[in-house]
């Protein structure tokens, strides 16, 4: 009993153990490293490491590494988890003993008499239910660890998706510039041909309209690239100087040779999902508290105190007193009924979470597989076909079988197909991050697979 009492006061030990558990989860489930910066030297060392990582184009794993070891937002989450852990430790502590001191004077025929009373009391309930309170505190610590793991998983997913968005937006802006350049060349050629009488005003206006639309698309693409880059910077928590040093790769990673198998994705689902584990832990805690409520609902207080009284001219009195509330008006039926209802609520909530987990994984996998199939289709079918069309158009142009505008239209359509392929790959990598998060207990909104082709691109191949 004494050892348990001592352990309940080790708040720093519980905090370190919880952080070690989060570190283990990060390494095993996400392949990432977590750092908790609790001193200026640690922060300075991490800042130096971040500067080293930013000296080269930032890879996606390095972005996650920075977010989990440097981002002020994630450091705040770790500190909040430490607060919750300390509160859980404090909830298991035995209440401090209460010392009472009385000093009374009494005047009588024999003169002034002094009456001194001293007592030292402690709640017996705190002692009797210490094992139950320790168990409840451990439940809270476990909830804190699981919730911290969910926060970590959410951070990893957001950073991965932000990195994918930033790289894809930069890549799209590059190809939008090529499309706008081709359209501008066609518009200038149309102007010159009209000036020589070889083009009508309608033909020139069509080329100018295409060029104007592509210029608008380029402006939007550049703005999207800037916004996506800044979103990544915010996720990483970079300083202004570090933001200036940030460089991104020229393109997204290549698609995997094969997608994740659906059976593999759904294996051991209920054992890995953090939200299911949290619901189960809450159910166990509620079931344990139900038995405790059966007792405390009737007798909710029992205090014992040692007493010593001394009086002038009299020998000291020693003994003890017991304080016990009598259940005359509140028989505890409301507390017992409420506890039983809370158990039923936790039981059904656990079933709901488990059922929803299966559905969320199926939705996430369907989005992942569709995004993979679409990205592979663009890379294997659409882009090569557009490239063949452009190559054949060059041959026909060299043979004077088609004009320069048909050649430019083919080149424009090819660039547009590359843009759509990039966006399809972006959706795939976002869907992969969402699937991994869903498998571990962080449901993410499904990816919407939509074509971003502009009216100009839609008619570019005609």
């Amino acid at each position: 009993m004494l050892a348990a009492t001592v352990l309940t006061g080790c708040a720093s030990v519980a905090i370190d153990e919880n952080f070690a558990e989060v570190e283990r989860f990060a390494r095993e489930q996400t392949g990432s490293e977590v750092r908790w910066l609790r001193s200026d030297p640690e922060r300075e060392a991490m800042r130096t490491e971040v500067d080293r990582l930013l000296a080269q184009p930032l890879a996606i794993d390095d972005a996650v590494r920075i977010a989990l070891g440097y981002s002020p937002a994630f450091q705040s989450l770790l500190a909040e988890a430490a607060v919750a852990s300390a509160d859980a430790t404090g909830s298991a502590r035995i209440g401090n003993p209460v010392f009472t001191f009385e000093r009374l004077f009494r005047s009588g025929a024999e003169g002034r008499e002094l009456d001194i009373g001293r007592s030292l009391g402690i709640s017996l309930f705190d002692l009797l239910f210490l094992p139950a309170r320790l168990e409840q505190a451990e439940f809270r610590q476990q909830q804190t660890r699981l919730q911290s793991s969910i926060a970590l998983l959410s951070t990893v997913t957001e950073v991965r998706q932000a990195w994918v968005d930033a790289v894809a937006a930069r890549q799209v802006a590059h190809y939008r510039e090529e499309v706008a350049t081709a359209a501008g060349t066609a518009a200038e050629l149309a102007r010159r041909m009209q000036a020589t009488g070889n083009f009508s005003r309608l033909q020139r206006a069509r080329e100018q309209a295409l060029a104007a639309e592509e210029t608008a698309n380029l402006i939007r693409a550049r703005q999207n690239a800037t916004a996506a880059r800044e979103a990544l910077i915010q996720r990483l928590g970079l300083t202004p100087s570090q933001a200036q040093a940030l460089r991104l790769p020229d393109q997204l990673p290549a698609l995997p040779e094969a997608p994740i198998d659906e059976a593999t994705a759904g294996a051991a689902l209920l054992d890995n999902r953090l939200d299911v584990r949290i619901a189960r832990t809450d159910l166990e805690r509620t079931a344990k508290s139900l038995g405790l409520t059966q007792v405390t609902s009737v007798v909710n207080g029992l205090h014992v105190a040692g007493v010593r009284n001394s009086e002038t001219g009299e020998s000291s009195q020693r003994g003890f007193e017991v304080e016990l509330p009598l259940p005359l008006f509140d028989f505890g039926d409301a507390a017992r009924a409420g506890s039983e209802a809370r158990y039923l609520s936790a039981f059904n909530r656990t079933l709901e979470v488990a059922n929803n987990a299966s559905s969320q994984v199926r939705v996430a996998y369907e989005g992942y597989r569709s995004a993979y199939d679409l990205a592979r289709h663009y890379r294997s079918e659409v882009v090569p076909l557009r490239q063949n069309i452009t190559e054949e158009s060059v041959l026909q142009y060299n043979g004077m079988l088609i004009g320069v505008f048909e050649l430019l239209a083919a080149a424009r359509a090819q660039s547009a197909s590359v843009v759509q392929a990039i966006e399809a790959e972006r959706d795939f990598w976002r869907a992969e991050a969402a699937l991994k998060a869903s498998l571990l207990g962080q449901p993410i909104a499904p990816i919407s697979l939509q074509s971003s082709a502009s009216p100009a691109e839609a008619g570019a191949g005609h």
Side-chain angles (χ1 to χ4, degrees):
M1 179 73 72
L2 179 60
T5 304
V6 172
L7 288 177
T8 58
C10 299
S12 60
V13 173
I15 291 174
D16 291 340
E17 289 179 350
N18 288 348
F19 178 68
E21 182 67 19
V22 173
E23 280 188 309
R24 184 195 63 78
F25 173 83
R27 288 193 300 268
E28 293 181 357
Q29 301 298 338
T30 68
S32 306
E33 181 182 0
V34 181
R35 293 190 183 181
W36 188 12
L37 309 180
R38 289 183 272 188
S39 66
D40 289 338
E42 290 177 340
R43 281 186 282 271
E44 185 61 31
M46 190 62 198
R47 186 180 297 111
T48 302
E49 183 174 348
V50 170
D51 292 339
R52 180 182 61 80
L53 293 175
L54 295 177
Q56 56 190 354
L58 186 66
I60 187 169
D61 291 336
D62 290 336
V64 173
R65 184 178 182 180
I66 292 175
L68 297 185
Y70 184 70
S71 167
F74 187 73
Q75 294 296 310
S76 177
L77 290 175
L78 293 177
E80 291 172 0
V83 172
S85 177
D87 290 343
T89 301
S91 68
R93 288 178 175 174
I94 297 176
N96 292 325
V98 177
F99 174 73
T100 304
F101 178 81
E102 294 181 344
R103 182 181 176 90
L104 304 176
F105 293 97
R106 182 171 53 191
S107 300
E110 299 180 356
R112 193 178 186 185
E113 297 180 353
L114 175 64
D115 187 359
I116 297 177
R118 295 171 292 267
S119 68
L120 181 65
I122 191 171
S123 173
L124 285 181
F125 263 30
D126 284 349
L127 294 175
L128 294 175
F129 292 104
L130 177 60
R133 293 177 62 177
L134 289 172
E135 194 170 7
Q136 291 289 329
E138 178 56 31
F139 278 132
R140 290 183 58 182
Q141 297 284 10
Q142 186 176 357
Q143 292 286 75
T144 298
R145 291 192 291 268
L146 293 174
Q147 291 169 354
S148 299
S149 297
I150 285 183
L152 180 145
L153 182 60
S154 177
T155 299
V156 171
T157 303
E158 291 173 357
V159 170
R160 287 184 177 276
Q161 292 187 336
W163 183 91
V164 168
D165 289 343
V167 175
R170 181 172 180 267
Q171 199 173 351
V172 166
H174 172 72
Y175 279 100
R176 288 288 186 193
E177 187 172 357
E178 290 188 2
V179 174
T181 300
T185 301
E188 175 61 21
L189 182 58
R191 184 190 67 79
R192 295 180 180 181
M193 292 186 69
Q194 186 199 10
T196 59
N198 294 324
F199 239 35
S200 67
R201 293 180 60 187
L202 176 60
Q203 290 173 307
R204 175 188 173 184
R206 285 174 177 169
E207 295 300 328
Q208 287 180 323
L210 288 174
E213 290 177 1
E214 293 303 341
T215 299
N217 289 335
L218 175 59
I219 294 173
R220 281 192 289 266
R222 286 174 174 171
Q223 193 278 329
N224 290 338
T226 300
R229 176 187 173 89
E230 290 300 326
L232 176 61
I233 289 171
Q234 293 175 19
R235 290 278 186 267
L236 301 181
L238 301 181
T239 64
S241 60
Q242 291 171 335
Q244 290 291 332
L246 173 63
R247 291 187 296 157
L248 295 172
D250 293 331
Q251 58 186 14
L252 292 170
L255 293 175
E257 292 297 327
I260 300 175
D261 182 71
E262 185 174 7
T264 303
L269 170 63
L270 296 183
D271 293 332
N272 292 334
R273 288 272 301 203
L274 295 174
D275 53 350
V276 176
R277 291 168 59 185
I278 287 177
R280 285 178 172 176
T281 302
D282 184 61
L283 179 62
E284 294 174 3
R285 179 187 61 81
T286 305
K288 293 287 185 180
S289 66
L290 181 60
L292 185 62
T293 303
Q294 299 296 329
V295 178
T296 58
S297 62
V298 179
V299 180
N300 58 10
L302 179 61
H303 294 78
V304 63
V307 180
R308 179 184 179 188
N309 293 328
S310 59
E311 185 177 349
T312 303
E314 301 290 339
S315 60
S316 299
Q317 296 177 328
R318 295 181 178 85
F320 66 90
E321 63 179 18
V322 177
E323 178 182 325
L324 174 66
L326 299 179
L328 297 179
F329 305 105
D330 184 1
F331 294 96
D333 56 320
R336 291 191 296 274
S339 181
E340 293 173 359
R342 282 190 291 272
Y343 174 79
L344 290 176
S345 175
F347 176 79
N348 287 283
R349 185 166 55 250
T350 302
L351 293 178
E352 178 188 13
V353 170
N355 292 335
N356 290 344
S358 298
S359 176
Q360 289 164 0
V361 170
R362 289 194 297 270
V363 171
Y365 182 80
E366 181 61 28
Y368 163 84
R369 187 54 192 266
S370 298
Y372 178 84
D373 291 341
L374 184 61
R376 177 65 67 183
H377 176 70
Y378 267 104
R379 282 299 179 186
S380 302
E381 299 292 337
V382 178
V383 173
L385 286 174
R386 286 295 183 184
Q387 184 176 358
N388 290 338
I389 291 173
T390 301
E391 292 173 353
E392 291 297 324
S393 297
V394 171
L395 294 176
Q396 292 192 10
Y397 174 76
N398 292 335
M400 303 183 67
L401 299 177
I402 62 173
V404 66
F405 291 100
E406 288 82 1
L407 177 61
L408 291 173
R412 200 159 55 233
Q414 180 186 355
S415 296
S417 68
V418 172
V419 168
Q420 293 173 340
I422 294 170
E423 293 174 342
E425 291 180 6
R426 175 202 63 196
D427 291 342
F428 164 76
W429 289 113
R430 287 182 58 87
E432 187 202 44
L435 175 61
K436 290 181 178 179
S438 183
L439 291 175
L440 295 176
Q442 180 67 22
I444 305 294
I447 301 297
S448 177
L449 304 180
Q450 298 178 352
S451 174
S452 61
S454 66
E457 293 165 352
H462 296 295

